[in-house]
Amino acid sequence: MLPPKRLTVTQWAEANRVVSSERTAKPGPFRAWAFQREPMDVMSPHDPAEFMVLMCASQMLKTTALENAIGCYIDQDPGPILLIQPRETDAEEFSKQSIDPMFRDAESLRRKVIEKKSRDSGNTINQKRFHGGSLTILGAQTPENFMMRSIRYALGDEVDRWPRIQKQEGSTVRLFVMRTANYRGCRKVVLASTPTIAGESTIAEWFEDSDQRRFFVPCPDCGVEQALRWDRVKWGESIPPADAHYQCESCENLIPNWRKPWMIERGRWIKGNPGSKIAGFHLSRLYSLITPWGDLAEEFLAAKDNPAELQAFVNTKLAEVWQHKGDAPDWEVIASRAEDYKQGTAPYGVLFLCAGVDIQKDRIEVRVGGWGRGKQRWLVDYRVIWGDTSRRNSEAWTGLQAMLSESWPHESGADLMIVRMAIDTGDPTSQTNAYDFCKANAGKCLAIKGQPSGVNLLNMPQTSEASARRKKRGGLLLWGVNVSLAKQELYGQLRMAKPEGDEFPPGWFHHYREQDEWYKQLTAERLVVAKGKRGYDEQTWQKTGRNEALDCTNYDRAAAEHVGVSKFGPPEWNRFERNLNPLPNPTRGKPVKQRFENPADVAVKNKRRYGNVGRAAI
Ligand SMILES: [Zn+2]
């Protein structure tokens, strides 16, 4: 006659759940990690918190907590449960991978779930019926599916990946939360996700409003409790990245990874904003008992030069929002770093030349850029060719044509020609002429258009592009350049600290002393967060003045990407270098000036020799 014992989600899971061999290398009874206990306890049906937010790294807490909560609700305090995943396919996968094995393996649940009968099938993939309620798992793509339901347990997974816009009615997440109004006082709303971009992240907004709990662990040396932060993971000369240590913020001792389990076991959650009624938890991969700090350090090093990969690292491993680094560096600082070489010459280090071309009504601006190992880049030449670009044979176009057969002296004595020229075809008055120019110089010239987004820096021409439009251009392919990504990369390079010795870091931006105006143009844009057309915060680049120098720099980058600069390894660079070194002439005993082999031809030969490397080869 005794009422059933009230178990928290953690207690229920440890008493009832078995982790099957499909999920883990160590199958057996479920045992929660120290940092998983409190979040799961707050999810318990009798805990007073109605709202909770899990902003956490992947594979730390989210899926396990949601599964255990569902099991506990069905067993302890049943009611209608709705779990929303970003897409229908995610919902199906969660149902098959998480829910079905749990029902199969937990004895207490097997008795309560209403068995599937051949005729009256209450259990389909997305809906499970049990005594006292039902569990529905849906995708967020069609919110109409869950608009009409009244629910007690509302679980939202990966909410930052849900569609954001819902005509007049507010965000999908708000609509989802409103479904629980009938159960005020005994409802549970759980929102879980890895975060996305600052100003756009739903989970980060909710976490901001929550009581902001972070997991504090004691230092094994001095005992001071601290929340683990990425900037305290250290490696260096004596410690390779693979063996990265954690530096205590109090005693500054370096803590090796093997002491982590001891620290985690003694950790506790501490609120950063105790006034809030929303329970919020933040958890990064730094706490993982499976991933050592060294693995994260290596992942970081592999991703740090690519903004898109670095964003994924920050979002899914550190569980932090991604801040676009959009502040333009100070032009005077950059100007002061000008190097001692003359305009129109290519210093040692330059291994091939590209060009970026911006077309205006009355002139064409061209940057000739040199490229070398580690994607270091040099400003080799910058020209403004005056002339009416709307006239086909004006001085502007003939001047540009001449540059394609011109050569620039390299410090080694060789002569370099432009390998690839990227031409912006966005200006409407000169567009037809730009297309014609690219067609006439096919193979060397690349017609491009700027795009605000895109997966890569240089995006393949759309083959499905309206054929009529393409016909108009006479079959010319138009490459998309993600200018936002290019600007982020460039400003990251410009913000790098000047190195001590003669060695320059990868991506270093070399330049001879240009005019002040050129530096001002290079730093003429900044990234701002502003209310977009739809009323949400959006990140956009804003001009603060003329910006042709910046555009040309980015188009030069696009041309180098087309040649394959991102994919070149030591064999390609060595090959470029061999072509530059003049061989001693035995008859005369002094170096002979050799014509530099066109790197595009080199790339084709390399393809034969090394396989498919570099876009130029394709
Ligand atoms: Zn310490």
Side-chain angles (χ1 to χ4, degrees), residues 219-224 226 248-253 255:
C219 165
D221 293 326
C222 68
V224 169
Q226 51 203 295
C248 168
E249 63 185 36
S250 176
C251 69
E252 306 222 316
N253 282 357
I255 307 167

